[in-house]
Amino acid sequence: MLSFTQLPERSLPSLRAGALITAVVLTCLLLPLAAPAEAQNGTMMQYFHWYLDSSDNLWLQVADQADDLAGVGITALWLPPAYKGVTGFDVGYGAYDLFDLGEFNQKGSIRTKYGYKSEYLSAIQSAHTHGLQIYADVVINHKGGADSTESVLAVRVDSGNRNNEYGGDVLIDAWTRFDFPGRGNTHNAFKWSWYHFDGTDWAQNLQESGRVYKFRGTGKAWDWEVDTENANYDYLLYADVDFGHPDVRQHFKDWGEWYLTETGVDGFRLDAVKHIEYTYWNEWLDHLRTWSGDPLFTVAEFWSYDIGKLHNFISKTGGRAHLFDAPLHLNFHNASTGGGLYDMRNLKAGTLMEQQPALAVTIVENHDTQPLQALESPVQDWFKPLAYAFILLREEGYPCVFHADYYGANYTDYGGDGNLYTINMTSHKTILDILLQARRDYAYGPQYDYLDDPNIVGWTRLGDSQHPEAMAVLMSDGPGGSKWMEVGKANTTFTDITGNVGGTVTTNGSGWGNFSTAGGSVSVWVENAAPSGGSADVHFTCNNGTTFWGQNVYVVGNDPAIGSWDPAQAVQLSPNAYPTWDGIVTGLPASTTVEWKCIKKHNGQVTWQGGANNSVTTPSSGQVSAAGSF
């Protein structure tokens, strides 16, 4: 069975029909747009933070940086909500019109905070060209920025206990009418009225602050099952969508079909799922996966440090979605603020990484936990390399790198105390690039844990058939030191690629080494390459290579001489007997099984030979022939 943290082959184009995909299969498939059957560890990046400015033109940045990100080992980007919010420059979580991706003059602008629709679609295309998946942020719990008010019968409820009503029924002028005058009926004709919602927090006629109003009427009640915080946590903000209404349930399915068709995204990040009837996600995801024929990788934001609540959501949704590992983030925060007194043996304790690793999306930081945000709980800078090593280099979980941790961020905002603060988030790009490379090249195979000391903990990865080099990781939140760990390679030399510890470590005859780390630091020891055992030449042939003008045929595979599976480094063949293409590649390692494929390229567009990888075993010297076919 394929691990969801690794990327298998994808068949293109995807089918828009098919039988219901089971939750077990969905859990195990994470499909990229690149086609080698060789597995590569998947790594997501949250490609935004809360304080980006509209002048940053995020969609243009995605298109510009997709190649670089793919090159360091990023395989998927979670992009912010792409639709029009309560203002034209809303971060995206104050959703107004989900059918306006920066196309219509609404809420004071045509573009969204991140750019125009055409730029968004171009960014997705660029990401796909470079082998990156795109996950769209889905915000359907609430709607804000209504076009007009309606008179609605409602009752006040206690903010701390939403089931406790008080004060009697009252008519309120609620902002619940959404007509989308700037878009009209383009893309979709559905209009929203008060009966599509459960409640709100503002009555225009009463002007009462700090209230929550629950609507009266047939079928009106808070949705269930939702999180039990505040007795019932259906209501979060703005006009709260009523998922008991059949028209609402169908509308979001229609929108999902439109969005997939319009954008070609590969999956979703689901916002605020603990405020939405849990089982609706089963209905919604099953519908779109069946309709599209795609697995549609999905991660849900159920932000709770109570692992029992996360298990309950997983149970109620049948494992259809991964979850962000909020308890792991909290452990990282506590470790970073513990002054070296945190018990490092407990880093995994009470986390999805520990208890549901196949469904855990592991994070260090996100847009809600960064300084001055609603869930502010930042991981201190000194600990971030340790935390990222923990999520990137272990076998459990699907790791997500935060934009502000990679690129840095500078912003000013008010804190909860009413004071104005200037925040400078440090870029950790240098060490993250090293850790990402280690994840891409070394974090494979059996994992041996040495999480057995309050300060110094480590683990090893022994490699697999495609990634045979071993790796040992050691970290400490206190003084430096060393630990004997097994790597399965006798008499083999290792080097710390972080540069935090100099020199080398050579394992003993039983494959154990005494690896070390500096205080408050992490070291990543990787196996040094063995001396070359000679080289051989391969005469590659690609049959049925029918092309159009300007398109050429190349060979690419798992050795640097043929591009290391990077289409940009593939070796061009010649149409000596068109449509057969061939060429001789020199310098391949002798006496080695090499996996490869034929590809066609034109202006950055890559077409892969279908099916399994081709393979050829090189001789000890001289030349061998190998053939593949489109």
Side-chain angles (χ1 to χ4, degrees):
M1 182 176 288
L2 294 168
S3 166
F4 77 94
T5 59
Q6 297 180 329
L7 301 176
E9 183 179 37
R10 178 176 187 173
S11 298
L12 293 176
S14 61
L15 301 175
R16 292 298 180 188
L20 181 64
I21 304 168
T22 67
V24 172
V25 173
L26 292 169
T27 298
C28 298
L29 291 181
L30 174 59
L31 304 180
L33 293 171
E38 178 187 45
Q40 175 186 329
N41 281 327
T43 306
M44 185 194 316
M45 174 178 277
Q46 179 183 349
Y47 198 81
F48 67 102
H49 65 87
W50 192 267
Y51 293 97
L52 288 173
D53 191 83
S54 59
S55 64
D56 292 322
N57 294 309
L58 190 69
W59 301 152
L60 299 181
Q61 289 187 15
V62 171
D64 182 60
Q65 295 171 356
D67 190 18
D68 291 339
L69 293 171
V72 299
I74 299 296
T75 59
L77 301 178
W78 156 26
L79 298 184
Y83 20 85
K84 195 67 59 68
V86 294
T87 69
F89 301 100
D90 184 84
V91 173
Y93 296 102
Y96 166 67
D97 186 358
L98 273 63
F99 288 91
D100 183 358
L101 304 181
E103 183 181 8
F104 303 98
N105 189 356
Q106 300 188 109
K107 298 303 172 184
S109 72
I110 297 176
R111 59 164 286 170
T112 68
K113 179 176 183 176
Y114 309 109
Y116 294 94
K117 178 181 178 179
S118 60
E119 294 169 341
Y120 178 55
L121 299 182
S122 294
I124 294 170
Q125 180 60 51
S126 177
H128 284 171
T129 297
H130 295 289
L132 297 174
Q133 291 188 321
I134 295 294
Y135 305 148
D137 210 320
V138 175
V139 184
I140 62 174
N141 173 74
H142 50 266
K143 296 186 74 66
D147 299 305
S148 59
T149 63
E150 298 175 289
S151 182
V152 183
L153 186 65
V155 63
R156 300 174 182 87
V157 299
D158 188 337
S159 295
N161 182 345
R162 305 290 173 74
N163 293 328
N164 182 30
E165 304 172 0
Y166 67 94
D169 291 356
V170 59
L171 279 174
I172 67 171
D173 292 340
W175 290 95
T176 51
R177 185 68 190 175
F178 291 81
D179 295 312
F180 314 116
R183 174 171 63 82
N185 293 332
T186 304
H187 301 316
N188 187 274
F190 189 86
K191 310 301 179 187
W192 293 76
S193 278
W194 73 268
Y195 44 82
H196 296 125
F197 302 98
D198 283 329
T200 188
D201 61 359
W202 183 251
Q204 188 64 29
N205 57 323
L206 302 181
Q207 302 280 310
E208 298 175 332
S209 61
R211 304 290 190 187
V212 176
Y213 302 92
K214 183 171 68 174
F215 292 167
R216 295 299 199 194
T218 303
K220 287 301 159 193
W222 298 132
D223 291 335
W224 187 259
E225 180 182 21
V226 295
D227 186 29
T228 56
E229 187 176 347
N230 299 321
N232 179 297
Y233 214 178
D234 178 6
Y235 185 81
L236 177 64
L237 74 166
Y238 294 115
D240 182 74
V241 172
D242 179 5
F243 283 92
H245 198 295
D247 292 347
V248 168
R249 299 174 83 93
Q250 183 59 44
H251 174 69
F252 284 128
K253 295 174 191 174
D254 296 340
W255 171 76
E257 292 180 11
W258 173 84
Y259 200 92
L260 288 172
T261 302
E262 199 80 1
T263 66
V265 297
D266 307 285
F268 305 112
R269 180 265 186 186
L270 307 180
D271 182 63
V273 297
K274 71 180 185 179
H275 307 283
I276 296 171
E277 178 188 325
Y278 296 168
T279 55
Y280 180 70
W281 294 115
N282 304 346
E283 182 180 325
W284 190 77
L285 286 169
D286 287 351
H287 173 81
L288 291 179
R289 285 166 172 164
T290 302
W291 174 84
S292 69
D294 285 334
L296 298 175
F297 172 83
T298 300
V299 56
E301 181 223 15
F302 191 119
W303 198 263
S304 176
Y305 300 130
D306 182 343
I307 191 69
K309 291 187 175 186
L310 304 188
H311 286 312
N312 181 56
F313 181 83
I314 289 171
S315 176
K316 295 297 170 57
T317 55
R320 286 170 171 81
H322 294 63
L323 290 182
F324 290 109
D325 198 344
L328 182 65
H329 158 76
L330 182 63
N331 287 355
F332 290 152
H333 168 73
N334 290 337
S336 76
T337 58
L341 300 178
Y342 183 84
D343 190 336
M344 295 285 280
R345 294 172 295 187
N346 294 330
L347 273 179
K348 285 201 308 176
T351 67
L352 290 174
M353 174 186 265
E354 175 190 53
Q355 299 177 22
Q356 284 276 11
L359 292 176
V361 170
T362 50
I363 65 169
V364 175
E365 204 84 85
N366 71 12
H367 63 294
D368 286 322
T369 68
Q370 71 182 103
L372 305 182
Q373 272 307 293
L375 302 172
E376 180 176 5
S377 52
V379 177
Q380 292 187 2
D381 280 327
W382 74 272
F383 195 80
K384 280 186 175 176
L386 285 72
Y388 273 109
F390 206 75
I391 69 171
L392 289 170
L393 303 184
R394 295 181 59 79
E395 64 182 351
E396 311 98 329
Y398 178 18
C400 181
V401 176
F402 183 41
H403 185 284
D405 285 339
Y406 193 75
Y407 294 108
N410 298 283
Y411 55 90
T412 300
D413 198 2
Y414 289 93
D417 58 4
N419 295 320
L420 190 65
Y421 293 91
T422 297
I423 302 297
N424 297 296
M425 293 186 67
T426 301
S427 168
H428 295 274
K429 184 178 185 300
T430 299
I431 184 62
L432 280 173
D433 281 346
I434 293 171
L435 297 177
L436 286 165
Q437 174 197 348
R439 175 170 177 79
R440 183 191 63 200
D441 297 341
Y442 299 100
Y444 300 91
Q447 174 176 290
Y448 295 166
D449 277 343
Y450 300 87
L451 309 178
D452 53 2
D453 184 88
N455 294 116
I456 301 177
V457 295
W459 63 93
T460 62
R461 303 295 300 273
L462 274 57
D464 61 19
S465 60
Q466 298 299 322
H467 312 86
E469 293 85 4
M471 175 181 68
V473 183
L474 198 66
M475 62 175 64
S476 174
D477 74 334
S482 62
K483 187 183 295 288
W484 281 92
M485 299 191 292
E486 182 182 3
V487 290
K489 299 291 181 71
N491 307 311
T492 302
T493 302
F494 288 74
T495 302
D496 177 12
I497 59 173
T498 70
N500 291 330
V501 176
T504 60
V505 171
T506 301
T507 59
N508 62 22
S510 299
W512 288 72
N514 189 21
F515 299 98
S516 59
T517 187
S521 180
V522 60
S523 290
V524 180
W525 296 89
V526 301
E527 180 180 344
N528 292 349
S532 173
S535 63
D537 304 337
V538 177
H539 182 190
F540 289 102
T541 299
C542 291
N543 296 311
N544 300 321
T546 304
T547 57
F548 53 78
W549 181 256
Q551 188 182 43
N552 292 292
V553 173
Y554 299 74
V555 62
V556 66
N558 66 347
D559 187 83
I562 48 174
S564 297
W565 290 121
D566 180 0
Q569 304 300 319
V571 177
Q572 184 173 336
L573 304 180
S574 299
N576 295 317
Y578 183 85
T580 296
W581 299 64
D582 72 335
I584 297 173
V585 177
T586 63
L588 286 156
S591 303
T592 302
T593 298
V594 175
E595 294 193 359
W596 64 281
K597 275 193 170 183
C598 305
I599 62 173
K600 300 175 185 179
K601 294 200 304 180
H602 178 255
N603 288 342
Q605 299 294 318
V606 179
T607 302
W608 291 82
Q609 170 194 343
N613 297 342
N614 309 310
S615 67
V616 58
T617 301
T618 57
S620 58
S621 62
Q623 182 176 302
V624 69
S625 295
S629 181
F630 289 99

